[in-house]
Amino acid sequence: KKYENVLSADAGFRLLALFRFWNMIEYFSPYKHLTDSKWDAVLKTAVPEMILSRDDRSYGLSLLKMVSQVKDAHTGLWSVPKGLINYYGKYRMPVEIRMIEGKAVVTKVFDSEKSGDKLSIGDVLISKEHKKIEEIRDSLWAYMSTPNEAVANRDLARKLVTSNSEIVPCELVRDGRPIKVDIAAIPSSQIKPASRDTVPFKMLDNNILYINHSLLRAKMITENMANWSKVKGIVIDDRNYPGDFLVFKLTPLLLTKPTDFVRFSSTSLQYPGTFVMSSPLQVGENTNDCYQGKVAILVNEDTQSSAEYHVMAYQAASNVKVFGSPTAGADGNVSSIELPGNQRTMLSGLGIYYPDQRETQRVGIKIDEIVKPSIKGIREGRDEVMEKALEYLNK
C-alpha cells in the first residue's frame, strides 16, 4: 500500500517506510551480504534517525540515506520527496562532466544562448560555488547508492553540473593555469544536447564493423548476419544501455555450440530469505557457421544492468575480448518497492553470477584489458578505449 497522502510529520509512517524497506532487503535481496554494514546494524541506526526526521526535508534525506545503505545502483529513490524538490539544483551548467584520473573533467559542452564565461572540453573543475570537489563529494556520499568507485564517480559527476543558482562561480584549471569563471546555468529542459550518433552499425577502416549496442535491434541482426560474418573484426560498443534484448539473437553469430554464461540465485514467497543457485543458463546454437574473427567489446561505468548481462553472454565466445573500465556492478532483474508518501525504490531481486559462481554485484563484469580515458585524450578529442580495441583487431 502506498499511503500516498501521509504527512512526513507522522513518525508511525516514517517507521513503516523503514521497516518495509529493511524487510524487503532482509528477505528478498540476493545481495544483502554485500552491504558495507551488517544489515541488522543498519536498522539500529536508522530507527532513531527516522524518528527525528520531523519535516519533509529531513524525511526525504533519511529515505535517501536508508536506500543508499544497500549500495545497489538499482536502489535509488526513484521518486522525489516533497522536501527534496530541487535539492540538487533546478538549474544545470550546459556541460557533461566525468571523473577522469580522479579529477572532474569537462567532456562535452552543450549549446547555450546564455552569454558570459564558458567551460571548455578538458577543463578540470577544482571548486564549485566556493566548495572544493572533494568537499562536495563527501557531503553527498551518505545519500548515494553507489556499489563501486566507478558508479560513485559517475553519479558525483552528474551532481556537479547542477545548482540552484543561475550563475555558478567555479575555479578550474585550463591549459595548466588556474582561473575563475562564472558559468550561467539554465533549466535542464533548455539544454541543447550535443549531436549523438544515430547509426546502429557502420564499417570502419580495414573492414572493421562497429556496432552501437544501444541502437542495435534484433531485426538488423537477422538482415545483416551474412555480411557481418565476412568482416575482419567487430567492435561492440556497450558503453550505453541496450534498446533491445539481444542475448539470444547475437550470440549465434559468435558460438558453435550452446555454452554456459550465467547462473541465478532467487528466493520465493514460500521460503523468503532462502536463496537457491540455479544451474547455468546457456547461449549459442549448434552450428559450424559462426563468426571466426576477433570481437572487441567496449565498457565503462555506464555499462549497467542489462548492458552487463549482454556482455556476459557475448563473453561466452572465445574470440571475444572486453576493453574498458569497471562497469556498474548492478545486474539482475529489479523489484519495485512502494514506500509511504508515494515514494518508490527498487532492489536487484535476482542474483547474477558467472557459471563458476563469481559475483558480478558491486564488482562488475570481467574485463580483459583495463583502458581508461585520460585528461590528455579528452583534450585531444580521442576515444582511447576504442583506439585500444582497434589496435587489437588490426593486429
Side-chain angles (χ1 to χ4, degrees):
K1 191 171 179 179
K2 296 181 180 180
Y3 299 103
E4 297 182 13
N5 299 315
V6 301
L7 299 175
S8 58
D10 190 319
F13 281 107
R14 296 200 302 273
L15 288 174
L16 175 60
L18 168 60
F19 296 152
R20 180 179 290 181
F21 179 77
W22 188 89
N23 278 286
M24 287 294 292
I25 301 301
E26 172 73 9
Y27 295 107
F28 295 101
S29 170
Y31 301 128
K32 183 184 70 173
H33 64 290
L34 296 178
T35 57
D36 288 345
S37 302
K38 294 287 186 181
W39 197 235
D40 287 350
V42 169
L43 185 62
K44 291 176 183 178
T45 57
V47 166
E49 288 180 356
M50 200 62 78
I51 290 173
L52 294 172
S53 300
R54 296 187 177 96
D55 57 64
D56 289 341
R57 185 183 180 89
S58 59
Y59 176 53
L61 290 174
S62 292
L63 286 175
L64 274 179
K65 190 173 183 180
M66 176 182 73
V67 301
S68 74
Q69 299 274 6
V70 183
K71 297 303 177 187
D72 179 354
H74 285 143
T75 312
L77 198 57
W78 304 113
S79 50
V80 182
K82 287 186 294 183
L84 298 187
I85 296 173
N86 300 325
Y87 176 70
Y88 293 112
K90 59 183 177 180
Y91 301 110
R92 174 178 169 172
M93 295 186 289
V95 298
E96 175 186 273
I97 289 176
R98 288 185 180 265
M99 300 301 293
I100 299 174
E101 298 179 27
K103 302 182 187 307
V105 182
V106 176
T107 55
K108 292 181 182 177
V109 177
F110 306 125
D111 289 339
S112 172
E113 297 176 356
K114 294 278 188 177
S115 59
D117 295 335
K118 306 284 185 183
L119 290 171
S120 301
I121 291 176
D123 284 347
V124 176
L125 197 64
I126 304 301
S127 73
K128 186 189 84 168
E129 297 174 309
H130 313 295
K131 291 183 179 179
K132 297 290 185 183
I133 300 305
E134 296 78 9
E135 184 181 351
I136 297 172
R137 177 200 62 204
D138 293 345
S139 69
L140 296 174
W141 178 248
Y143 308 112
M144 295 167 62
S145 192
T146 51
N148 56 33
E149 184 180 13
V151 176
N153 285 335
R154 180 194 73 188
D155 292 356
L156 169 62
R158 291 172 179 175
K159 301 289 192 299
L160 289 177
V161 300
T162 62
S163 175
N164 274 314
S165 300
E166 293 187 79
I167 299 295
V168 185
C170 298
E171 293 182 75
L172 54 92
V173 173
R174 177 181 295 166
D175 299 327
R177 297 183 297 106
I179 62 172
K180 295 182 179 181
V181 293
D182 292 320
I183 303 300
I186 58 179
S188 296
S189 59
Q190 295 180 19
I191 296 286
K192 298 178 182 177
S195 59
R196 300 179 63 183
D197 192 355
T198 58
V199 179
F201 58 91
K202 60 187 175 183
M203 295 304 301
L204 306 178
D205 293 342
N206 298 327
N207 199 28
I208 302 294
L209 170 67
Y210 170 84
I211 295 175
N212 183 329
H213 199 252
S214 68
L215 301 177
L216 189 66
R217 300 294 182 267
K219 181 180 178 182
M220 300 173 189
I221 299 173
T222 302
E223 294 172 345
N224 293 280
M225 189 175 288
N227 292 329
W228 290 357
S229 64
K230 302 171 186 176
V231 301
K232 178 180 179 179
I234 299 175
V235 175
I236 302 176
D237 195 342
D238 202 59
R239 296 172 294 183
N240 45 50
Y241 195 84
D244 201 354
F245 189 76
L246 305 173
V247 165
F248 299 104
K249 196 68 179 180
L250 190 58
T251 47
L253 177 66
L254 306 175
L255 291 160
T256 59
K257 61 181 181 180
T259 306
D260 296 346
F261 87 99
V262 67
R263 288 178 185 262
F264 309 102
S265 68
S266 59
T267 188
S268 67
L269 291 174
Q270 187 176 7
Y271 301 106
T274 300
F275 285 82
V276 178
M277 186 69 74
S278 73
S279 300
L281 181 66
Q282 296 186 324
V283 284
E285 300 172 356
N286 288 308
T287 178
N288 293 319
D289 186 22
C290 75
Y291 181 65
Q292 301 296 319
K294 294 187 288 189
V295 179
I297 299 180
L298 315 183
V299 299
N300 67 3
E301 65 274 14
D302 293 328
T303 308
Q304 178 172 318
S305 194
S306 180
E308 293 177 289
Y309 189 74
H310 278 76
V311 176
M312 291 175 69
Y314 305 152
Q315 283 180 311
S318 60
N319 59 340
V320 168
K321 188 172 181 177
V322 179
F323 296 82
S325 52
T327 63
D331 210 339
N333 295 1
V334 296
S335 302
S336 183
I337 306 172
E338 302 291 344
L339 300 174
N342 204 26
Q343 301 304 310
R344 185 172 67 90
T345 184
M346 296 189 294
L347 62 85
S348 297
L350 194 65
I352 301 292
Y353 311 85
Y354 280 100
D356 61 3
Q357 300 190 32
R358 256 185 294 181
E359 299 266 15
T360 61
Q361 187 75 1
R362 301 198 66 176
V363 179
I365 60 165
K366 294 183 292 186
I367 298 176
D368 297 295
E369 186 164 348
I370 294 290
V371 187
K372 297 181 179 181
S374 67
I375 297 175
K376 182 175 183 291
I378 293 296
R379 289 172 177 159
E380 294 173 353
R382 295 165 50 207
D383 184 341
E384 292 160 287
V385 183
M386 172 73 91
E387 289 175 0
K388 183 60 71 173
L390 291 176
E391 179 184 315
Y392 163 71
L393 295 176
N394 282 309
K395 283 182 180 177

